[in-house]
Amino acid sequence: MKHTGKDNYAWLFKGETIFCLASGPSLTAEICQRVRGRRSIAINSSAVLAPWASVLFFTDSGWYEPRRQLVANWDGLVISMSQAAKREMPDKVKRVQGEGDPQALPGFSRGPHVIHQGRSSGHTAVSLAIALGATRVVLLGYDMRIVADREPCHDEKGSAGDSEIYQREFVPGFAGWDEAARAVGVEVINATEGSALKQFRFASLNDILRSAA
C-alpha cells in the first residue's frame, strides 16, 4: 500500500483473523451476523449486509459513484483504489495503490507497500487483508459461480450476467495465491459452501468459529 501519514493503516490488525465478505450469492445476513464483532472487510455491496464491518473496501469508481451516501455514512475504515472517492472524500477514504498483473503470481508485502491487484474487488481484498496484518484470512461469499440464476448476494442486480467469466478469468486468477500467502505466514481459508474456488483449503464456518473460540 502506498500511503503516508494518517492514511498509513498497514498492520492495523496484526496477528488477527480477518473475514473477507464478498458479494457472492451464498452470503446472507445470517452468515454476516455470525462473524459480527470480528475483524472483517465488507467488499462492495456486501456492506449492506454487514454495515458494522471493520473495513469497507471497493476498487473502482464505478461502484462508488452511485453509492456516495453509503460511503459517507460508513462508521468504520474506508479503503479504496478509487481516485474519485479519495478526491471527493479525502478525510474519509484511505486510498490504496494496487499494482501488478492480476493474472501473475503475487508478491505479498507485510507492511506499508503497494498491494498486489487481483482480478476483482474480492480478489484484491485478500491482498488488503494481508497488508492489514492478518495471519489468517477467511473467505465468505466467494462462490465464483452463479447459484439459482443469481450472481450477487444483494438486490442491486436481478438475473446473472456472464456465467463463464468465473472459470475463464476469476478462478484462474487465484492460481498461486495460496502458496504466496503462506510464504509470508498467512493462511487463507475458503469458508464459502459450494465454492468453485479450490485454490485454498476449505473449512466450514462452524469449524472456524469453533477453533477461534
Side-chain angles (χ1 to χ4, degrees):
M1 292 173 292
K2 188 179 294 181
H3 46 251
T4 57
K6 63 185 178 182
D7 273 10
N8 190 353
Y9 46 81
W11 294 100
L12 186 62
F13 303 141
K14 182 179 179 181
E16 299 193 47
T17 294
I18 296 180
F19 291 83
C20 288
L21 309 177
S23 299
S26 67
L27 193 73
T28 63
E30 180 183 4
I31 289 174
C32 290
Q33 281 297 317
R34 296 187 65 193
V35 300
R36 185 169 185 169
R38 302 175 187 271
R39 298 300 186 192
S40 55
I41 299 173
I43 303 158
N44 292 340
S45 294
S46 63
V48 176
L49 297 180
W52 37 260
S54 312
V55 178
L56 167 60
F57 176 65
F58 54 96
T59 58
D60 60 275
S61 299
W63 181 88
Y64 160 75
E65 288 171 356
R67 301 172 182 85
R68 289 179 173 88
Q69 201 61 43
L70 187 157
V71 175
N73 293 336
W74 188 261
D75 287 333
L77 187 63
V78 179
I79 303 176
S80 177
M81 290 166 53
S82 167
Q83 294 183 16
K86 180 62 176 177
R87 183 175 60 252
E88 293 182 6
M89 302 185 190
D91 295 328
K92 183 74 173 182
V93 177
K94 314 306 179 186
R95 187 169 183 272
V96 62
Q97 181 68 37
E99 291 187 359
D101 182 354
Q103 302 298 330
L105 292 177
F108 292 124
S109 298
R110 305 305 307 272
H113 303 290
V114 172
I115 66 170
H116 189 86
Q117 184 171 338
R119 178 62 183 78
S120 64
S121 296
H123 196 173
T124 307
V126 176
S127 291
L128 176 62
I130 291 172
L132 285 169
T135 53
R136 185 168 66 163
V137 181
V138 180
L139 309 182
L140 291 167
Y142 283 72
D143 299 81
M144 296 292 154
R145 65 191 184 99
I146 291 171
V147 179
D149 198 36
R150 289 196 63 78
E151 189 172 10
C153 62
H154 48 78
D155 293 327
E156 292 180 357
K157 297 180 184 177
S159 60
D162 182 0
S163 62
E164 297 180 358
I165 195 171
Y166 297 101
Q167 292 303 317
R168 186 177 68 242
E169 298 183 28
F170 289 169
V171 172
F174 278 97
W177 281 54
D178 184 57
E179 181 180 358
R182 290 181 183 278
V184 293
V186 180
E187 181 183 22
V188 182
I189 304 171
N190 190 353
T192 307
E193 294 282 352
S195 174
L197 178 61
K198 308 300 182 184
Q199 171 70 202
F200 309 105
R201 177 176 75 86
F202 175 82
S204 70
L205 182 57
N206 284 340
D207 288 344
I208 291 170
L209 295 178
R210 191 178 301 116
S211 66

